[in-house]
Structure formats: C-alpha cells, structure tokens
Amino acid sequence: MGGSDAAIFADYHVNTLGWPGVGYTFIIEPKNLINTPNGKRARIVYAHDIDRRTYHVGNSNQFALGICVAGDIDTTLWTMQQ
C-alpha cells in the first residue's frame, strides 16, 4: 500500500480483514515528516503497547513485534531525513 499511513493500515486491518486492531506495534511514516531537535524525521506512530499480541506475522504473533515502514521502497527514493 504505497503512500499508506497508520490510519489507512488500521482501517484495512479492522474493516477489511476483521482484525481487532491494527496489526503493527509501530508504524513509521516516511511521508509524514516532523521537526525534531536534530532536523526533520519520519513520524513514528506508537499503535500498541509492546506487550500486546497483535496480528501481523502468521503463526509467530505470540513472540514477534510488528514494525511497519509505510511506503513503496521499489518506486520511492527516500531522503536521509526519512
């Protein structure tokens, strides 16, 4: 889902797949830059506590942490800030 963000993933996971919530604990959004003391950086969405089991990796959900970098790395050239 190129150009996606946390809200789009949440909508897809809940309303299309029928999951109880978004499948990732962290979603990194390179298209949404925020200002930090060290310059612009990609926004990181903290979607769940790290001890919460989520749906994201088949039979490994009980011991894996879901981290998603949104976007299409095949067609998008990212900047150093992203």
Side-chain angles (χ1 to χ4, degrees):
M1 290 194 275
S4 297
D5 57 27
I8 292 171
F9 283 115
D11 180 67
Y12 177 72
H13 290 172
V14 173
N15 296 319
T16 301
L17 299 179
W19 294 358
V22 66
Y24 309 110
T25 302
F26 298 103
I27 303 164
I28 302 167
E29 300 178 340
K31 73 175 189 172
N32 294 317
L33 298 180
I34 60 170
N35 291 317
T36 73
N38 296 317
K40 292 187 179 290
R41 299 288 187 260
R43 182 170 74 166
I44 300 174
V45 177
Y46 181 67
H48 297 291
D49 289 334
I50 61 171
D51 61 349
R52 181 173 179 190
R53 189 173 297 166
T54 62
Y55 296 15
H56 64 278
V57 66
N59 294 327
S60 299
N61 291 318
Q62 67 273 14
F63 56 82
L65 182 70
I67 301 172
C68 173
V69 179
D72 184 353
I73 62 169
D74 290 330
T75 60
T76 303
L77 295 175
W78 292 357
T79 65
M80 288 301 294
Q81 290 85 6
Q82 293 173 315

